[in-house]
Amino acid sequence: MINMNSNELVFIGAANWTHPAWTGGFYPHDLPQDWLLSYYNTRFHAVYLPESVWQTVPEATWTEWLNDTQGGFLFVLEPGTAKATAPPSERVLLASPGWMAEHVWWLDEYPDLRALAQRISQHAVTGEPLFAFSRSGNLALMEQADTLRRVMGY
């Protein structure tokens, strides 16, 4: 079960925030590495972290990440195969496979914005959050999904 205390309905983001292709486009060339997450959070409000990433992160780094992001920013963690534990925070969501199927839309696999709009409308009825993530970090798709979110009033 995932604890959701946010009033947001639709969250747009990427799998991780360290995509090399973003340097010089999304991220300024001179932006220090340790500022990337904070900068990412100025535009997006969630990030998906693969199991191979989040299970190796020390507690001190989690504390830093949580301090470097705004209160409504969420970390969605890929369901793990091992018995790893997520850091204790309302902003860190350890997903289950069933929850992922209900709450995550993969932009790279389903770039159809009409279908995404229908999915957003379904979530609006239930009030359950929907996360639209790009595994590849396709900024164009992420921007389109975010524009759709705003046009729909979410």
Side-chain angles (χ1 to χ4, degrees):
M1 180 69 182
I2 293 178
N3 184 11
M4 272 296 302
N5 286 336
S6 174
N7 292 328
E8 293 287 323
L9 178 70
V10 181
F11 295 85
I12 309 299
N16 217 326
W17 62 87
T18 56
H19 296 273
W22 291 4
T23 301
F26 179 69
Y27 294 129
H29 278 293
D30 58 350
L31 188 69
Q33 282 291 112
D34 59 339
W35 292 9
L36 295 181
L37 177 58
S38 296
Y39 190 92
Y40 172 88
N41 184 209
T42 65
R43 185 67 183 85
F44 303 107
H45 300 103
V47 67
Y48 178 83
L49 293 178
E51 178 186 19
S52 61
V53 172
W54 72 262
Q55 285 193 349
T56 61
V57 175
E59 186 177 333
T61 301
W62 274 111
T63 300
E64 190 177 303
W65 288 353
L66 290 165
N67 289 333
D68 285 350
T69 53
Q70 299 170 28
F73 186 87
L74 298 173
F75 295 85
V76 177
L77 308 183
E78 178 181 35
T81 54
K83 292 197 182 233
T85 58
S89 172
E90 296 173 338
R91 298 191 307 124
V92 178
L93 311 176
L94 181 55
S96 68
W99 187 89
M100 292 284 297
E102 285 291 317
H103 297 277
V104 174
W105 181 275
W106 294 107
L107 292 168
D108 304 306
E109 295 169 28
Y110 307 104
D112 181 349
L113 292 182
R114 286 182 190 213
L116 177 56
Q118 290 173 347
R119 186 75 177 268
I120 290 170
S121 294
Q122 292 168 354
H123 279 258
V125 170
T126 65
E128 290 289 319
L130 179 65
F131 295 82
F133 290 125
S134 170
R135 280 193 174 101
S136 67
N138 184 325
L139 283 170
L141 280 175
M142 293 165 63
E143 298 274 342
Q144 290 171 5
D146 195 50
T147 299
L148 174 64
R149 174 191 66 81
R150 285 183 281 133
V151 165
M152 293 182 73
Y154 302 109

